[in-house]
Amino acid sequence: QGFLALSTGRKKSPQKFKKMARRGTLLSLLVAALGFAFVSQAFVSPSRGAAPEVDARVLGATFAGLAPLAVEQPANAYDSVVAMLQSWLVGGIALVLIYGAAFVAALANPLTKRRQEVKAEVDAIKKA
């Protein structure tokens, strides 16, 4: 009703706008209350029992994996902007070559070609 009344050009009294605004406010408050009720049930706090145990192997593997980052200093890796651009160029070319090789391999898949040949042979045998 509200959209049609606005689109047809009929004028509304200020009282109707106040009623619509009040309805919208009540509706938004209701939606917010329902959202809070459902969200509060979605997040469950952990039990206050024993603390979780940390496996020493996981801790060791994490430190071993992060050790090269402590040795290298990535902020000082490039002596100049030219060296940085050259490395980006080499990396980009490498990516293009890798994706190109994957694309060629996908098109020139020998198993797919052999399956098509066998299917053609089977169809020829069935026709004969």
Side-chain angles (χ1 to χ4, degrees):
Q1 175 188 353
F3 176 74
L4 292 176
L6 290 175
S7 64
T8 57
R10 285 189 270 159
K11 293 190 176 189
K12 289 191 165 193
S13 66
Q15 293 172 351
K16 285 193 178 188
F17 283 122
K18 287 181 184 177
K19 286 181 184 178
M20 287 172 56
R22 212 174 307 137
R23 250 188 250 153
T25 305
L26 289 175
L27 181 64
S28 62
L29 287 175
L30 179 66
V31 168
L34 286 174
F36 178 73
F38 286 122
V39 168
S40 64
Q41 293 175 3
F43 297 103
V44 179
S45 63
S47 62
R48 295 183 185 227
E53 294 185 25
V54 177
D55 190 6
R57 294 176 295 175
V58 172
L59 195 61
T62 302
F63 282 124
L66 294 176
L69 294 177
V71 174
E72 294 292 326
Q73 295 297 322
N76 298 328
Y78 300 109
D79 294 333
S80 66
V81 175
V82 175
M84 182 183 69
L85 293 175
Q86 286 175 345
S87 70
W88 275 88
L89 185 63
V90 169
I93 290 172
L95 278 176
V96 167
L97 290 175
I98 290 169
Y99 279 112
F103 183 70
V104 168
L107 289 179
N109 188 353
L111 290 175
T112 302
K113 288 186 175 186
R114 179 65 185 147
R115 286 186 191 118
Q116 291 172 349
E117 289 174 4
V118 170
K119 184 177 182 284
E121 290 174 9
V122 169
D123 289 341
I125 292 172
K126 284 183 181 178
K127 286 182 183 178

